[in-house]
Amino acid sequence: MLTRFFPSKPDHPLADARVAKRLFDELPRREPTGALDEATALLESIVAVAGFEPNERLTLILQLDEAAGPPARRLCREYVVSARLSRPQEMKLWHLNHDYWQAVAAALDDCLLRHDSGEKGAEAMKPALALLYA
């Protein structure tokens, strides 16, 4: 009964709008490997944590993907263009890029599954369905 009067926030750092805004502002300026590693962990945790409304979850995923875009492009470019990387350096870059893009795809797929299963509140994602399916 109290949850109707005092809805609880999910236990996640991005549930606080001020923390999320600060992180989204700082992420593009951070060192690319650390930024991508953090973005991957946050994407995985957004999917795993209960309590987000479906549309709120999708918005956070898209904002995080947008904020992590510059570091992701830098690391991707570094992987493709660098001719003198050692095998361990090459594998580290490949894994960082692969893990990030896999986490983005899994998070967006989770949003689609939530919508298709008819989860409560998932209808609010309807305007973004074309983007999700693409």
Side-chain angles (χ1 to χ4, degrees), residues 25-94:
D25 289 343
E26 291 174 359
L27 200 61
R29 295 187 298 267
R30 288 190 47 207
E31 185 266 324
T33 56
L36 220 57
D37 198 33
E38 183 175 359
T40 302
L42 285 169
L43 283 166
E44 291 169 349
S45 67
I46 289 171
V47 172
V49 169
F52 283 117
E53 292 292 322
N55 197 45
E56 179 184 15
R57 184 184 311 268
L58 174 61
T59 301
L60 285 173
I61 291 167
L62 293 175
Q63 287 175 332
L64 184 56
D65 181 40
E66 185 176 324
R73 285 190 298 275
R74 275 183 270 162
L75 281 183
C76 193
R77 199 171 29 250
E78 186 177 328
Y79 175 77
V80 172
V81 178
S82 296
R84 299 254 185 222
L85 291 175
S86 68
R87 181 76 173 149
Q89 289 172 321
E90 181 182 332
M91 290 306 295
K92 180 181 179 185
L93 285 176
W94 187 88

Side-chain angles (χ1 to χ4, degrees), residues 36 72 75-76 79 93-102:
L36 220 57
L75 281 183
C76 193
Y79 175 77
L93 285 176
W94 187 88
H95 280 291
L96 281 168
N97 281 299
H98 176 268
D99 293 348
Y100 171 72
W101 291 112
Q102 186 176 19

